[in-house]
Amino acid sequence: MSAIDPLPPLRAVIASHGLSARKSLGQNFLLDLNLTAKIARQAGDLTQCDVLEIGPGPGGLTRGLLAEGARKVLAIEKDPRCIPALEEIAAAYPDRLQIINGDALEVDPLAHLTPPIRIAANLPYNIGTELLVRWLTPADWPPFWQSLTLMFQREVAERIVATPGSKAYGRLAILAQWRCTARIVMSLPPGAFTPPPKVSSAVVHLEALPEPRFPADPAVLSRVVAAAFNQRRKMLRAALKGQAPDIEDRLIAAGIAPTERAEQVGLEQFCALARALARP
């Protein structure tokens, strides 16, 4: 018996289904149900929400989300070996868990979920950043989700919450903090996982803001930030010379010294630059 539901402990589930984490799928299983329940609680009040979970594996976090009262969980799992274990959870929580055996990069969650929607996941390491960028850069804002509660490698988590002047500051920090509040809410050592990864992990919670912090065209901002941090050691007038023939004038109009480097420039200034570049 586990502490959160009548289902077997995760080690027993893994043993009974012959599961082992696959590096090719970016899998590291988190087996402590007390930890998965704690992660689920970081997502906030789930009782009136549908929850999207990516890469549930044997279902540790899935069980935490359901035990915390999620109205419905949509679990998208690429590995067919994990489906029988997830089906056992679905049987224990009738009509509250939908399982899709598929690629999270290809499935449209809105076809299966009803707002309000929160996203919570121990993301597979090999697609975690790509999914985050997709969720942060939809065509329309506010997005379909209210919040993201996501586990990453510690290094990625620090990039999301980084501030100007730090080594971790870059594109992810700009994209996340432009439209969300972002904070690290948990840290997990390698030993919490099976098999233990080589690095520590952290859970980041992002709450969607009703409006971006500063006005800017999303496509222009994304393009400028990508170019600036792709050559972060260069002065901005050199890193961004392909963005406009008069890039020095536009940098100055945005309140940025052309000799500054990307990691020295704050979010508000990058948004001002995006507006300057959007003008003819």
Side-chain angles (χ1 to χ4, degrees):
M1 299 282 283
S2 73
I4 64 170
D5 60 33
L7 292 162
L10 279 174
R11 289 191 185 277
V13 172
I14 287 173
S16 66
H17 292 284
L19 295 175
S20 59
R22 285 185 175 169
K23 188 175 182 180
S24 63
L25 295 174
Q27 291 175 330
N28 294 95
F29 296 153
L30 185 58
L31 302 185
D32 186 334
L33 288 167
N34 291 318
L35 276 179
T36 58
K38 186 176 180 181
I39 295 168
R41 287 193 290 273
Q42 300 300 325
D45 183 1
L46 303 178
T47 55
Q48 303 300 317
C49 296
D50 283 6
V51 180
L52 171 63
E53 183 187 7
I54 307 298
L61 179 56
T62 314
R63 289 164 65 173
L65 294 167
L66 290 164
E68 287 299 312
R71 184 174 63 191
K72 173 185 175 179
V73 175
L74 173 66
I76 303 175
E77 176 55 61
K78 189 174 184 179
D79 187 353
R81 302 175 307 147
C82 296
I83 302 304
L86 294 170
E87 288 174 340
E88 292 176 359
I89 302 171
Y93 291 93
D95 303 319
R96 291 178 57 205
L97 174 60
Q98 179 182 355
I99 306 157
I100 294 180
N101 182 198
D103 187 336
L105 296 173
E106 299 173 359
V107 175
D108 176 14
L110 285 179
H112 308 277
L113 296 171
T114 303
I117 298 166
R118 296 180 182 265
I119 300 177
N122 172 10
L123 289 175
Y125 283 162
N126 53 358
I127 62 168
T129 302
E130 182 175 354
L131 282 170
L132 175 63
V133 170
R134 285 191 184 191
W135 291 328
L136 291 174
T137 57
D140 300 307
W141 195 270
F144 74 86
W145 48 269
Q146 288 186 336
S147 69
L148 309 172
T149 305
L150 307 171
M151 189 185 304
F152 294 99
Q153 295 179 25
R154 179 83 196 186
E155 177 187 353
V156 177
E158 289 175 348
R159 284 163 54 198
I160 294 167
V161 303
T163 54
S166 63
K167 275 184 74 173
Y169 182 65
R171 177 172 173 250
L172 273 187
I174 296 290
L175 294 180
Q177 296 172 39
W178 180 44
R179 289 167 152 176
C180 302
T181 58
R183 57 194 176 95
I184 293 175
V185 293
M186 282 180 65
S187 296
L188 296 97
F193 299 87
T194 299
K198 294 180 180 179
V199 295
S200 296
S201 300
V203 177
V204 182
H205 182 74
L206 300 100
E207 288 277 347
L209 296 170
E211 298 285 344
R213 294 185 191 278
F214 308 104
D217 180 279
V220 177
L221 180 63
S222 186
R223 185 182 75 237
V224 168
V225 170
F229 286 100
N230 189 45
Q231 303 183 68
R232 61 190 299 149
R233 294 183 181 179
K234 289 189 175 182
M235 296 178 187
L236 282 174
R237 66 184 177 196
L240 298 176
K241 63 182 179 182
Q243 301 296 312
D246 58 344
I247 190 61
E248 286 207 27
D249 292 340
R250 300 200 186 215
L251 283 164
I252 292 168
I256 303 170
T259 54
E260 284 191 296
R261 292 175 172 81
E263 64 266 21
Q264 300 170 294
V265 177
L267 171 61
E268 185 173 6
Q269 290 174 296
F270 267 119
C271 290
L273 178 58
R275 295 195 300 273
L277 285 167
R279 292 194 290 270

